[in-house]
Amino acid sequence: MTTIAVAGALANKHRHGGSVWVRMSWAEALRSLGFDVLFVEQLSAADCVDRAGLRADFAASANAATFFAATEAFGFAGDAALVCPDDGRVLGMGRDELLDRLGEAALLVNISGHLRWRPALERLPRRVFVDLDPGYTQIWHASGGDAAGLEGHELHFTVGANVGTAVCDLPTGGIEWRPIRQPVVLDRWPLPASDGRPVFSGFTTVASWRGAYGRPVWEGRSYGLKVHEFRRYASLPGVTGLPFAAALDIHPSDAHDAESLRAAGWDLLDPALVGDVDDFRRFVQGSGAEFSTAQGVYVETRSGWFSDRTVRYLASGRPALVQDTGFSDHLPVGDGIVPFRTLAEARTGARAIVENYAHHSAAARATAERCFTPHTALSPLLEAAAVAP
């Protein structure tokens, strides 16, 4: 059986259940295709905290607890290692065992270039970079240095389907960017039991108001963040008369924005509601549909980015009313996925979903089955890397 190492941030995404689903879905998807999967993460000592947010030792940190809870929940206990690059400590297995298993792997799938620990990279014969943040990644790389972590990878994939094409103006840095879709293991997202036709219960989303990064700047142009796009559509509850809610991570300094959203009819929920993997899944499956805007840079560059979160709504039979970043060039839209580029389109799309909800719900699941299952989503990567189980 062929071994593939998957690297990504779990412990580093402490209290972000949706982010854990992203990384573990890649690992689980590859395993479902017949690969032996080893999951690896590096966690710097400076990023280790306890449950109160205070500095903690690597081994005793809440970050490490998140890592082991997540890998065990997805069936990777014994096949997952957490590394402290500062002193070389390894949790989950012995250091020698980890290095031996990496030496047996045919491929590293390095999500966001997370793994940079040199002893690990030196053991891996081939490395694939997976870009989840088109715009940030390309601009960081083109600006010089290796802030994006692209160095040492032979293949480069991006969830921005238009990156490197004539319709997207992001710099490529001389790299051949190949499009990839985010996989979902459908068994993890069964359709909720229903005694009859599905009933719409409201639009929801999970969001970070400003995100982890500031505005990306390239050739004198400053690109927007999610906050800038969200503000453009804040009036939707009022103009549609429909319920909208968001598990929103928003800093107290942005209290004026939170007040404006509530005044516009938004129900702002505590982001702790989606803090772990089970909570996140319950939130998505308890929703009627997704509404979401995108990072400004995704929209303004027409990158073709499509959200992993949206994939999970679709898999759950939950339609998605989502801002078009150019993904409509590549995915079936109009049924299940309803894209918008203006407030008028968002208003019309919201009403269309509610008025024909059963149809859009069925189309959402069908789209997940057609476009995002492991074989369909990951075949381009496996074929380019020439690996098979």
Side-chain angles (χ1 to χ4, degrees):
M1 182 183 293
T2 303
T3 297
I4 291 181
V6 175
L10 303 179
N12 287 276
K13 297 293 185 178
H14 174 52
R15 295 176 178 169
H16 291 82
S19 296
V20 172
W21 273 106
V22 178
R23 282 75 181 175
M24 294 314 300
S25 292
W26 279 80
E28 191 173 45
L30 287 165
R31 185 175 60 188
S32 76
L33 295 175
F35 292 96
D36 174 38
V37 177
L38 172 65
F39 193 91
V40 186
E41 179 177 6
Q42 67 178 59
L43 173 67
S44 296
D47 295 323
C48 294
V49 296
D50 62 17
R51 294 191 181 278
L54 303 176
R55 287 289 297 272
D57 178 68
F58 169 70
S61 66
N63 312 76
T66 294
F67 178 86
F68 288 110
T71 52
E72 182 174 357
F74 284 87
F76 285 91
D79 292 307
L82 182 63
V83 177
C84 181
D86 305 285
D87 56 20
R89 277 186 290 171
V90 177
L91 303 178
M93 62 184 67
R95 176 188 169 109
D96 290 344
E97 179 187 359
L98 171 61
L99 295 177
D100 287 346
R101 292 189 64 180
L102 289 171
E104 296 168 356
L107 187 69
L108 168 67
V109 176
N110 203 0
I111 300 173
S112 299
H114 172 77
L115 186 63
R116 305 189 187 193
W117 189 47
R118 187 56 55 186
L121 295 178
E122 290 172 349
R123 297 295 182 103
L124 290 151
R126 199 163 199 201
R127 294 164 293 276
V128 173
F129 184 99
V130 176
D131 166 36
L132 301 184
D133 293 298
Y136 293 98
T137 300
Q138 289 74 25
I139 289 172
W140 289 339
H141 178 66
S143 298
D146 194 34
L150 298 182
E151 182 182 346
H153 296 83
E154 291 77 31
L155 293 167
H156 302 82
F157 286 84
T158 178
V159 298
N162 288 330
V163 175
T165 72
V167 303
C168 177
D169 61 5
L170 285 170
T172 63
I175 290 172
E176 179 185 0
W177 288 103
R178 303 166 185 254
I180 193 79
R181 292 175 182 169
Q182 306 226 43
V184 62
V185 176
L186 292 173
D187 288 348
R188 290 281 184 182
W189 297 89
L191 293 172
S194 175
D195 296 330
R197 291 170 64 86
V199 177
F200 175 74
S201 59
F203 289 97
T204 69
T205 191
V206 179
S208 176
W209 192 236
R210 292 190 180 274
Y213 316 118
R215 283 177 175 264
V217 178
W218 177 245
E219 293 187 335
R221 179 176 178 180
S222 176
Y223 293 95
L225 306 175
K226 188 160 190 171
V227 53
H228 304 117
E229 297 302 316
F230 210 119
R231 285 172 179 157
R232 294 174 56 202
Y233 298 94
S235 64
L236 268 177
V239 300
T240 62
L242 297 169
F244 284 77
L248 186 63
D249 184 4
I250 185 167
H251 194 270
S253 63
D254 285 319
H256 60 289
D257 278 320
E259 292 167 3
S260 295
L261 289 171
R262 291 190 182 97
W266 283 86
D267 184 11
L268 298 188
L269 307 173
D270 187 341
L273 287 172
V274 293
D276 65 27
V277 293
D278 290 331
D279 290 339
F280 181 86
R281 179 166 51 190
R282 278 192 293 270
F283 182 85
V284 169
Q285 297 202 309
S287 302
E290 180 187 24
F291 165 80
S292 187
T293 60
Q295 295 274 10
V297 66
Y298 301 161
V299 178
E300 294 164 34
T301 62
R302 198 168 171 76
S303 67
W305 173 88
F306 193 76
S307 169
D308 60 89
R309 181 188 57 253
T310 300
V311 173
R312 313 204 194 290
Y313 274 88
L314 298 176
S316 301
R318 300 308 188 231
L321 176 66
V322 282
Q323 189 174 18
D324 194 3
T325 64
F327 63 74
S328 58
D329 296 343
H330 308 279
L331 291 172
V333 298
D335 299 298
I337 304 173
V338 179
F340 62 85
R341 297 180 187 174
T342 66
L343 179 61
E345 289 180 357
R347 181 178 64 244
T348 300
R351 289 174 175 162
I353 287 174
V354 175
E355 290 168 2
N356 202 1
Y357 185 64
H359 169 77
H360 282 285
S361 295
R365 175 70 177 201
T367 299
E369 293 171 347
R370 175 181 171 186
C371 299
F372 298 103
T373 56
H375 175 75
T376 300
L378 299 185
S379 285
L381 186 154
L382 299 177
E383 290 170 6
V387 293

